[in-house]
Amino acid sequence: MSETSARLLALLSLLQARRDWPGALLAERLEVSSRTVRRDVDRLRDLGYPVRASKGPDGGYRLDAGADLPPLLFDDDQAIAVAVALQTATTTVTGIEEGALRALATVRQVMPARLRQRVDALQVTTVDRYANRRTTVDSEKLIAIGMAVRAQEVLRFDYASPGAPDEWVPPRKVEPHHLVTWGGRWYLVGWDLDRKDWRTFRVDRMTPKTPTGPRFTQRELPAPDVATYISSRFHGQDQNPCKGEAILQAKASDISQWAGRGAFVEEITPTSCRLVLTAWSWTGLAATFGMFECDLEFVGPQELKDAAAQLAARYQEAAS
């Protein structure tokens, strides 16, 4: 019996690993006969797994999605990953706290004792650096937007403008491309049909309308991938009005570790580099350059040099 159970788990693991499996290849991998594979497939069906069989010389098996959720099969690494993901899930989606806790309790209950001990040791406390920026996003709204992305259907939605929240504006019409998270918020990346350009929309400001629009052929992003596009989009918006440059007497690799997002570091010599930063104020920018424990020379602009001189005088007075 134990040998049969182990073989069923191995068979299920193989079926989950790829879409289609020829029967002969499954028999070879499991080191059994084709007749035994057929019997094991029937046993999996009795357990609720929808395994489809195709006939003919190239016949084989496929694990389809079913109406009911059968018992899940996780290896050790997958089980640990699921437990950690459930503990940290609420950092990206709000309103699912109870569901995440119940799911974690369910997964933990069916784990072997050895895995349960490892999961219990991983009590994760998430400190959200963007807690002051986080906004509530309804999970149903995320699902509606995600379905439009997957089906490649034009999405119509009302969009609350922060500049004129009470002013009526016509619904936006967008070819949705991708849902992303950035800085504690959810965004939709899509092609705005009215403005004929790529746009990003905060999901918490969107109110999707039904039904969705016609299907479309997905356009190519003006970037290699979504992550690159979003990073360049936000860093390229020049949200910080002050930009300055300095030469630091330190290795570029050392400065890069602490310069933060949006910083530009270029090696000049093995022991010096050029650093470009932005900030909300010239004084704040000068103070940021000063946090590096090395000699430096301000290149410009003049506003940065003036702010550094004022800051030096202020520190000198405070120290004396």
Side-chain angles (χ1 to χ4, degrees):
M1 179 63 70
S2 60
E3 180 181 350
T4 301
S5 299
R7 193 175 63 247
L8 285 179
L9 290 176
L11 173 59
L12 183 56
S13 179
L14 290 173
L15 291 172
Q16 290 175 333
R18 55 184 278 184
R19 183 173 177 83
D20 294 294
W21 279 94
L25 183 57
L26 278 178
E28 179 183 345
R29 292 290 294 271
L30 296 172
E31 298 182 352
V32 296
S33 65
S34 298
R35 182 178 180 182
T36 300
V37 170
R38 289 194 296 271
R39 289 179 176 177
D40 287 346
V41 166
D42 290 336
R43 292 188 179 99
L44 287 179
R45 289 169 177 161
D46 292 339
L47 293 173
Y49 291 97
V51 182
R52 179 192 302 180
S54 57
K55 298 181 179 180
D58 297 327
Y61 300 95
R62 172 189 300 180
L63 181 63
D64 287 341
D68 299 321
L69 184 65
L72 299 177
L73 172 67
F74 294 124
D75 59 28
D76 290 14
D77 291 338
Q78 289 174 325
I80 298 297
V82 169
V84 173
L86 288 172
Q87 290 187 62
T88 59
T90 55
T91 62
T92 55
V93 181
T94 56
I96 63 169
E97 291 83 356
E98 181 183 352
L101 289 176
R102 288 191 290 109
L104 179 60
T106 301
V107 172
R108 181 188 177 279
Q109 184 178 3
V110 298
M111 285 182 176
R114 57 184 176 80
L115 278 185
R116 194 178 305 124
Q117 292 176 0
R118 296 178 65 185
V119 169
D120 291 344
L122 287 172
Q123 296 300 316
V124 181
T125 299
T126 302
V127 179
D128 190 358
R129 61 176 297 192
Y130 301 109
N132 62 328
R133 293 186 54 192
R134 286 185 62 193
T135 51
T136 301
V137 176
D138 182 77
S139 58
E140 291 299 322
K141 182 186 295 187
L142 285 176
I143 292 173
I145 297 173
M147 291 179 65
V149 172
R150 181 178 178 83
Q152 296 185 7
E153 295 175 345
V154 172
L155 185 65
R156 300 180 303 116
F157 56 91
D158 291 331
Y159 195 65
S161 173
D166 298 327
E167 180 181 345
W168 183 88
V169 292
R172 307 294 288 267
K173 292 185 296 182
V174 172
E175 295 178 356
H177 187 279
H178 216 87
L179 275 169
V180 299
T181 58
W182 177 275
R185 292 179 178 145
W186 282 89
Y187 294 89
L188 171 68
V189 177
W191 176 266
D192 193 312
L193 292 170
D194 294 324
R195 291 156 180 80
K196 307 297 182 184
D197 196 8
W198 289 97
R199 290 288 191 272
T200 57
F201 304 92
R202 278 179 49 174
V203 173
D204 59 294
R205 294 177 179 170
M206 296 172 57
T207 304
K209 291 181 171 292
T210 54
T212 53
R215 294 178 63 88
F216 62 89
T217 301
Q218 192 175 75
R219 305 171 189 264
E220 290 189 7
L221 276 171
D225 50 53
V226 177
T228 303
Y229 172 77
I230 286 293
S231 180
S232 62
R233 180 81 175 181
F234 283 101
H235 287 154
Q237 287 182 335
D238 198 22
Q239 296 177 346
N240 296 332
C242 304
K243 182 177 182 180
E245 176 183 341
I247 303 299
L248 277 61
Q249 299 304 315
K251 295 180 180 179
S253 57
D254 293 339
I255 298 301
S256 298
Q257 296 182 47
W258 310 106
R261 292 181 176 179
F264 176 80
V265 184
E266 179 184 25
E267 181 178 280
I268 299 177
T269 70
T271 58
S272 66
C273 63
R274 182 168 70 97
L275 175 62
V276 180
L277 295 174
T278 63
W280 283 102
S281 67
W282 293 111
T283 303
L285 184 59
T288 303
F289 276 110
M291 74 176 184
F292 300 99
E293 295 184 0
C294 63
D295 294 334
L296 73 159
E297 174 190 352
F298 288 114
V299 177
Q302 187 60 44
E303 291 87 347
L304 174 60
K305 297 180 179 180
D306 294 341
Q310 295 172 6
L311 195 60
R314 187 182 306 165
Y315 282 160
Q316 179 64 36
E317 183 178 353
S320 60

